[in-house]
């Protein structure tokens, strides 16, 4: 922007300067010419009364010497003789004598002024005033140089002022850009100091207002999540009471374990919702997530789901890589991803439907794949849209998985499984790996 403003100022000021400089330069040249030609005409006119009184050569020479140089003031006497060295062409002299008319003639050497003087006896003398070409333009070059310097100073000053104004605008706009990028990356404390033109100052004030509103809305949303999570404790307490009534049976133990896990998840949600926003931001007080092993977390959650799979007659296969598969992702969040994927199989396929879970490591990524033998997903793209359900649920399960994959520099894909149903595949970047691209390679 600074370069554009400086270019505009240069173009506009140059056009304005030239529009004044060219006519002024021509006017200066004409004034210089008029000044010396007028002086020459005055000298010629001053010699006319002398010729009216006498045409003696000595007297005329004395008068010419008093009025100017004999090289610039010449008299053609009535007898055809000259006092001084003539510069006018013969044709112009003959025309002045015969036609008795005043002439101004431009020659190769300068400018000549011829003034005839009619004497007694119908005799004619001609006074010639000569101005050399150098005298016609004397001082013009210096004047043009001064005007050119003034024009350059005007153009340079305007460009400098435009550059300073542009620097102010650019500084303000870049500050607003940096603040917007910081806010988009999660820095909720960033604000701008309104500066620059009034429009940018208004934009800065609007940005600060928007940032404050975002912080308020996030705080309200987090409190709402905490309140809703807390309200779930009532039905959770009812589950505990129902398990107590069932006595010491396997079903009661499973209900108690599930209720305990649910209570733990609710506690985590409430704690996360009540965490100050600054600490909850990326790079905040909480710091980066500790690496966890995908295969270990998947094995742990499969042990939990295996009990329900046995009850529903669901055959399942597990294939977990023996190699370490650490990812920079919280263990609780990774467990939620595994629960969402396996839970979708139980919710959206009939009892007795087989499924398979695999964890593989390749090309700097860890791949978690869940296959089932159910009806599959007719529209995978719609299934990945937040809030859209393909089986009557809330539609948040796959969205949780997709956001987790993006947070771990991976991706989520849904295809047809070899078992005939859906294949949901999630990739995670290995901890300590900086490249590879999401979902690259893999078997």
């Amino acid at each position: 922007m600074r370069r554009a403003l400086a270019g505009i100022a240069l173009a506009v000021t140059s056009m304005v300067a030239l529009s004044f400089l060219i006519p002024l330069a021509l006017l200066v040249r004409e004034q210089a010419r008029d000044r010396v030609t007028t002086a020459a005409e005055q000298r010629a006119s001053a010699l006319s009364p002398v010729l009216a009184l006498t045409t003696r050569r000595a007297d005329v020479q004395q008068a010419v010497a008093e009025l100017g140089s004999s090289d610039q003031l010449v008299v053609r006497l009535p007898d055809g003789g000259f006092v001084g060295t003539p510069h006018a062409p013969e044709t112009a002299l003959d025309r002045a004598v015969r036609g008795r008319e005043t002439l101004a003639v431009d020659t190769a050497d300068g400018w000549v002024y011829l003034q005839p003087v009619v004497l007694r006896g119908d005799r004619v003398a001609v006074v010639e005033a000569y101005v050399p070409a150098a005298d016609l333009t004397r001082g013009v070059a210096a004047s043009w140089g001064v005007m050119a310097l003034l024009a350059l100073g005007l153009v340079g000053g305007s460009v400098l002022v435009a550059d300073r104004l542009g620097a102010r605008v650019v500084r303000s706009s870049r500050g607003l850009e940096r603040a917007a990028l910081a806010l988009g990356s999660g820095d909720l404390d960033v604000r701008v100091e309104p500066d620059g033109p009034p429009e940018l100052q208004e934009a800065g004030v609007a940005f600060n207002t928007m940032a404050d509103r975002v912080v308020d809305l996030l705080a309200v949303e987090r409190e709402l999540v905490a309140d809703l999570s807390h309200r779930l404790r009532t039905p959770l307490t009812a589950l505990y009471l129902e398990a107590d009534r069932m006595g010491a049976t396997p079903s009661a133990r499973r209900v108690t374990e599930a209720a305990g896990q649910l209570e733990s998840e609710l506690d985590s949600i409430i704690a996360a919702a009540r965490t100050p926003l600054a600490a909850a931001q990326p790079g905040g007080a909480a710091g980066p997530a500790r690496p966890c092993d995908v295969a270990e977390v998947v094995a742990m959650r499969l042990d939990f789901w295996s009990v329900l799979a046995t009850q529903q007659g669901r055959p399942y296969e597990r294939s977990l890589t023996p190699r370490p598969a650490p990812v920079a992702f919280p263990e609780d969040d990774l467990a939620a991803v595994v629960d969402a994927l396996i839970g979708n199989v139980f919710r959206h396929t009939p009892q007795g439907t087989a499924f398979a879970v695999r964890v593989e490591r390749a090309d700097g990524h860890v791949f978690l794949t869940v296959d089932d033998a159910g009806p599959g997903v007719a529209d995978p793209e719609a299934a990945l849209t937040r809030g859209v359900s393909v089986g009557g649920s809330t539609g948040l399960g796959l969205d949780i998985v997709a956001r987790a994959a993006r947070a771990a520099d991976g991706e989520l894909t849904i295809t047809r499984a070899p078992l005939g149903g859906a294949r949901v595949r999630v990739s995670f970047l290995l901890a300590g790996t900086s490249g590879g691209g999401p979902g690259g390679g893999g078997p």
Side-chain angles (χ1 to χ4, degrees):
M1 181 179 290
R2 292 178 59 183
R3 186 175 300 176
L5 290 176
I8 293 174
L10 176 62
V12 172
T13 312
S14 298
M15 288 189 293
V16 172
L18 289 176
S19 64
F20 283 96
L21 188 62
I22 294 176
L24 187 60
L26 296 177
L27 179 62
V28 168
R29 188 181 65 179
E30 291 299 322
Q31 285 184 338
R33 179 185 177 92
D34 290 343
R35 183 180 66 252
V36 295
T37 56
T38 300
E41 292 175 1
Q42 291 175 350
R43 291 195 301 270
S45 299
L47 195 57
S48 297
V50 176
L51 294 175
L53 295 176
T54 179
T55 56
R56 291 177 54 192
R57 180 179 294 272
D59 295 336
V60 173
Q61 285 178 344
Q62 183 179 358
V64 168
E66 293 177 355
L67 291 175
S69 173
S70 59
D71 292 337
Q72 297 183 6
L73 194 60
V74 181
V75 177
R76 182 183 184 279
L77 299 174
D79 59 2
F82 289 92
V83 176
T85 304
H87 298 84
E90 290 292 335
T91 55
L93 284 173
D94 293 340
R95 181 179 173 184
V97 172
R98 295 176 183 178
R100 300 180 182 183
E101 58 178 316
T102 303
L103 300 176
V105 181
D106 287 313
T107 65
D109 298 329
W111 179 83
V112 177
Y113 175 74
L114 300 177
Q115 180 176 330
V117 179
V118 180
L119 305 176
R120 289 192 303 267
D122 200 26
R123 296 179 303 162
V124 177
V126 178
V127 179
E128 173 188 317
Y130 169 70
V131 179
D135 292 346
L136 291 175
T137 58
R138 189 181 303 277
V140 173
S143 300
W144 284 3
V146 172
M147 289 188 292
L149 291 177
L150 291 176
L152 290 175
L154 176 63
V155 172
S158 65
V159 171
L160 180 61
V161 171
D163 180 73
R164 292 297 88 199
L165 293 176
R168 185 184 178 194
V169 173
V170 170
R171 182 172 59 252
S172 301
S173 60
R174 286 181 176 173
L176 189 59
E177 177 192 10
R178 287 192 296 269
L181 292 175
L183 181 63
S185 63
D187 185 2
L188 301 180
D189 294 330
V190 65
R191 297 295 184 273
V192 297
E193 184 68 28
D195 190 15
E199 294 80 3
L200 283 179
Q201 292 183 15
E202 294 175 1
V205 172
F207 174 85
N208 291 338
T209 303
M210 178 194 67
D212 293 337
R213 182 59 176 164
V214 168
V215 172
D216 294 340
L217 290 176
L218 287 176
V220 171
E221 181 181 0
R222 294 170 72 85
E223 286 297 326
L224 179 60
V225 171
D227 294 342
L228 291 176
S229 301
H230 192 273
R231 289 170 61 183
L232 292 176
R233 290 187 180 277
T234 300
L236 186 60
T237 303
L239 286 177
Y240 277 125
L241 294 175
E242 186 64 27
D244 288 340
R245 293 192 189 99
M246 295 171 63
T249 62
S251 298
R253 287 196 302 272
R254 287 194 296 270
V255 171
T256 302
E257 291 176 1
Q261 183 184 2
L262 179 57
E263 184 176 17
S264 176
E265 292 292 338
L266 289 177
D267 291 338
S268 299
I269 293 174
I270 294 174
R274 294 287 170 82
T275 301
L277 290 177
Q281 299 176 79
R290 295 178 59 184
C292 64
D293 192 281
V294 178
E296 294 178 359
V297 175
V298 171
M300 178 183 63
R301 298 316 301 161
L302 268 177
D303 291 340
F304 171 82
W305 286 99
S306 63
V307 178
L308 184 58
T310 302
Q311 288 182 348
Q312 295 186 359
R314 293 178 180 270
Y316 67 92
E317 297 179 3
R318 68 168 70 189
S319 176
L320 307 180
T321 177
R323 302 168 59 192
V327 295
F329 202 68
E331 182 175 343
D332 292 343
D333 292 346
L334 183 57
V337 169
V338 178
D339 288 343
L341 294 177
I342 300 178
N344 276 343
V345 176
F346 282 79
R347 280 191 295 271
H348 302 306
T349 62
Q351 294 189 18
T353 302
F355 68 95
V357 179
R358 293 198 306 274
V359 176
E360 303 158 310
R361 171 176 169 169
D363 295 339
H365 281 76
V366 180
F367 299 90
L368 169 60
T369 306
V370 177
D371 295 341
D372 65 67
V377 179
D379 190 350
E381 184 175 352
L384 294 176
T385 304
R386 181 176 175 84
V388 176
S389 173
V390 295
S393 64
T394 60
L396 297 179
L398 287 179
D399 181 71
I400 293 174
V401 178
R403 286 190 289 114
R406 289 193 296 269
D409 293 329
E411 66 177 3
L412 168 65
T413 58
I414 300 178
T415 57
R416 177 66 65 175
L419 295 177
R423 162 171 283 188
V424 182
R425 191 173 194 233
V426 189
S427 66
F428 302 95
L429 185 70
L430 278 170
T433 304
S434 59

